[in-house]
Amino acid sequence: MLARVNGCTIAGIEGKMVDVEVYLSAQLPSFDIVGLPDTAVREARDRVRAAIKNSQLEFPQQRIVVNLAPADLKKEGPQLDLALALGILQASGQLEKQNVPMAIIGELALDGSLRAVRGVLPMVIAARDAGIKNILLPLANAAEASLVSGVHVIGVTSLTEVLAILSGQTEPAVIPQNTPVKSRISADFREVKGQEGAKRALEVAAAGGHSLLMTGPPGSGKTMLARCVPSILPPMSEEESLETTKIYSAAGLLQETTALITERPFRSPHHTVTSAALCGGGRNPRPGEVSLAHNGVLFLDELPEFKRETLEVLRQPLEEGFVTVTRMMAAYTFPARFMLLASMNPCPCGMLTDKEAECICTDRQVFNYRHKISGPLLDRLDLFVEVARLRYDEVAGQKNGENSAEIAKRVARARGRQLARFRGEGISHNAEMKPQHLDKYCRLDAAGRDLLRHAFSRLHLSARAYDRILKVARTIADLEDEQKILPVHLAEAISYRQPVYY
């Protein structure tokens, strides 16, 4: 007897519909799964058999062949368990065909209970786009699934409950209310003593979505400054929240009590991170740190301590806003539009530029340390700023700086001007501008062209650096509510351009 059930799987961060076909024949008992299943899918044979028996149901003593279509799509994860079980019960006559809902998602425990799975949000979106309105899945994933409009979500806790609901014996469980992530307590710029120049550079970076590298001795406040940046970024739009939530769902990092991520991510991986963990990959590719920082901040502390080959994989996301991971069977694309913040010391001991401490590094050590970061990667950064060690009167002084709320207002106004300017252009802030946008929105007067011509030859700038100076100058003008880029805006942008100590 043949039965068909609609299941779902995850490929990268995209949901894919899977047609689960179950065929029972009167031959020696066996259980085969075909259709490019991974190890987790193949192991579903034992989970499904135990779950059916422990739910006081009969597991058919026949040959069972399960085909997962399309056959050329690799199936991964345990989210097909429930679809397999219902297909077997349907093929064996223990469940009426017309009672099976349109899309089935869920992992089975050996006792027949259901466990939450990762990637529910993209899978439900795929089901809706395929015209499927009814979704049956674990209750723990119901709040996440209910973010998708136009679908009817049925949350269940066990295989027994599924059968009771499908037979009309019980009503579906109440779906929990969507609950956003609790606002984290971010560091406030008011707590940072001194460092007005660095604060200004970070404000410019936040206003335009630019990348920034801070250089200075240990204890100068580089890490604290970076952790203050989320407090001045504008709130995420609904579209950005859904994009970010989708990535975390596919990565399995969405908490059961969380339905929608509303706070911009702040990711700070350790310097021992691998290339695959940073930019995505693995045997079954998953999003890396650059994608988990999508629409937020990626902070790389002690940049030269990262492996050089690991840092080089940042080139594509910095330029294009996405990462492509290619495997033999498929290519996966992960979004990665983030604000990169990085910090480094001027030398291995960190005291090279400190006026009150003596550097113990040799010239060769200093050279090797600085050149762990390649020139092409530095050329892709927008702003460079020096963070000096604070004086005693700055540390002990009672005067606090400007708070994050005031800076955030200016950043929000600048971002608002950019959204209005780029409406219909496919971009949202200045750091994303392409050459055609620079020609249209970053025109200079004669004085500005002369200033930039002099800086180009004096600093030996590349064409990429030229473009990035214009982008930063456009952001500075937006912060000053100026329609045109004035020479003073251009001069400040140029002052941020030259890499420090390189």
Side-chain angles (χ1 to χ4, degrees):
M1 189 172 182
L2 179 66
R4 290 186 176 90
V5 178
N6 285 324
C8 298
T9 191
I10 191 83
I13 63 168
E14 298 298 327
K16 301 292 184 180
M17 296 303 301
V18 176
D19 190 6
V20 180
E21 301 174 330
V22 180
Y23 176 68
L24 271 61
S25 62
Q27 299 180 28
L28 290 176
S30 63
F31 194 165
D32 298 312
I33 301 177
V34 298
L36 286 183
D38 72 349
T39 302
V41 178
R42 288 194 296 269
E43 290 175 347
R45 293 175 298 187
D46 297 318
R47 292 193 298 271
V48 169
R49 180 185 289 107
I52 289 177
K53 290 182 176 180
N54 289 325
S55 299
Q56 285 71 53
L57 298 167
E58 181 183 350
F59 188 83
Q61 296 301 309
Q62 298 173 272
R63 185 187 181 193
I64 303 173
V65 178
V66 176
N67 179 44
L68 305 177
D72 59 349
L73 173 67
K74 187 174 182 179
K75 323 304 185 303
E76 61 175 90
Q79 54 266 16
L80 291 170
D81 287 6
L82 184 56
L84 288 172
L86 293 182
I88 291 172
L89 294 175
Q90 178 181 316
S92 62
Q94 300 177 71
L95 179 65
E96 295 183 16
K97 294 183 179 181
Q98 62 270 22
N99 289 335
V100 178
M102 293 297 292
I104 311 294
I105 302 170
E107 175 186 351
L108 283 171
L110 298 184
D111 62 355
S113 61
L114 283 172
R115 294 193 175 106
V117 295
R118 68 179 181 91
V120 162
L121 185 60
M123 286 190 286
V124 174
I125 292 175
R128 181 198 61 184
D129 294 344
I132 298 175
K133 303 299 182 183
N134 296 317
I135 313 293
L136 191 146
L137 42 66
L139 184 60
N141 292 123
E144 178 185 347
S146 63
L147 291 171
V148 182
S149 60
V151 296
H152 178 222
V153 178
I154 304 173
V156 291
T157 59
S158 66
L159 181 58
T160 302
E161 184 182 355
V162 171
L163 298 179
I165 292 173
L166 296 179
S167 62
Q169 297 177 11
T170 61
E171 294 294 325
V174 177
I175 302 303
Q177 293 290 324
N178 290 341
T179 54
V181 173
K182 294 181 179 179
S183 298
R184 62 178 179 271
I185 300 176
S186 299
D188 195 293
F189 274 109
R190 184 176 181 273
E191 303 166 359
V192 180
K193 304 286 187 177
Q195 306 297 4
E196 299 304 322
K199 291 179 184 177
R200 169 63 178 178
L202 287 168
E203 178 181 342
V204 173
H210 302 290
S211 54
L212 179 145
L213 172 63
M214 294 178 284
T215 308
S220 56
K222 302 185 295 294
T223 301
M224 186 174 184
L225 284 164
R227 294 192 179 279
C228 289
V229 170
S231 65
I232 64 174
L233 292 174
M236 285 201 291
S237 64
E238 182 179 354
E239 180 181 358
E240 289 176 328
S241 293
L242 286 173
E243 283 181 347
T244 305
T245 304
K246 182 178 177 181
I247 294 170
Y248 275 72
S249 174
L253 298 178
L254 200 62
Q255 300 176 4
E256 291 185 9
T257 56
T258 300
L260 183 66
I261 294 178
T262 58
E263 295 288 334
R264 292 191 181 274
F266 182 90
R267 304 293 299 185
S268 181
H270 192 260
H271 62 79
T272 56
V273 67
T274 64
S275 300
L278 184 62
C279 281
R283 185 173 183 179
N284 294 321
R286 294 194 183 185
E289 290 291 335
V290 296
S291 295
L292 296 174
H294 183 63
N295 293 321
V297 176
L298 177 67
F299 177 48
L300 302 182
D301 200 6
E302 303 298 342
L303 191 65
E305 300 299 332
F306 288 79
K307 293 181 180 179
R308 186 184 180 104
E309 59 269 21
T310 299
L311 293 177
E312 291 305 302
V313 300
L314 290 172
R315 293 191 191 185
Q316 183 187 19
L318 285 174
E319 287 285 344
E320 302 177 356
F322 62 86
V323 173
T324 301
V325 179
T326 304
R327 293 292 180 266
M328 184 171 61
M329 297 300 300
Y332 304 86
T333 298
F334 302 118
R337 293 193 307 273
F338 56 90
M339 177 180 170
L340 175 64
L341 299 181
S343 68
M344 62 177 288
N345 296 326
C347 66
C349 77
M351 301 302 174
L352 180 64
T353 59
D354 197 305
K355 298 179 180 179
E356 301 178 0
E358 182 180 356
C359 176
I360 61 173
C361 304
T362 65
D363 291 342
R364 171 56 59 181
Q365 287 175 324
V366 174
F367 178 86
N368 291 338
Y369 179 79
R370 294 177 184 174
H371 286 76
K372 287 182 180 180
I373 311 169
S374 70
L377 178 60
L378 285 174
D379 202 37
R380 285 169 167 80
L381 303 182
D382 297 328
L383 295 93
F384 300 86
V385 61
E386 181 178 358
V387 183
R389 182 187 291 274
L390 295 175
R391 303 186 305 273
Y392 172 80
D393 56 346
E394 291 178 309
V395 176
Q398 298 299 318
K399 183 179 179 181
N400 290 317
E402 188 177 21
N403 61 40
S404 292
E406 294 301 319
I407 301 175
K409 291 178 182 178
R410 296 195 295 269
V411 171
R413 287 195 294 268
R415 286 282 186 113
R417 282 188 276 273
Q418 294 166 48
L419 286 173
R421 176 188 304 131
F422 300 133
R423 186 172 290 113
E425 300 271 6
I427 60 176
S428 59
H429 48 264
N430 291 332
E432 297 179 311
M433 284 194 290
K434 305 300 181 185
Q436 63 268 26
H437 302 125
L438 295 177
D439 294 338
K440 186 176 181 181
Y441 301 116
C442 298
R443 295 179 180 176
L444 304 176
D445 57 18
R449 289 194 296 272
D450 289 340
L451 176 61
L452 191 52
R453 183 183 303 111
H454 178 72
F456 190 87
S457 58
R458 181 75 178 269
L459 300 178
H460 307 288
L461 300 176
S462 66
R464 183 183 289 112
Y466 174 90
D467 290 346
R468 294 185 182 277
I469 288 175
L470 289 178
K471 294 176 184 180
V472 174
R474 178 67 268 172
T475 299
I476 296 171
D478 289 337
L479 283 168
E480 303 297 329
D481 198 18
E482 290 286 350
Q483 294 294 328
K484 296 182 179 180
I485 298 177
L486 303 178
V488 65
H489 305 143
L490 199 57
E492 184 178 356
I494 293 171
S495 71
Y496 295 133
R497 182 59 238 171
Q498 189 172 12
V500 184
Y501 312 133
Y502 196 81

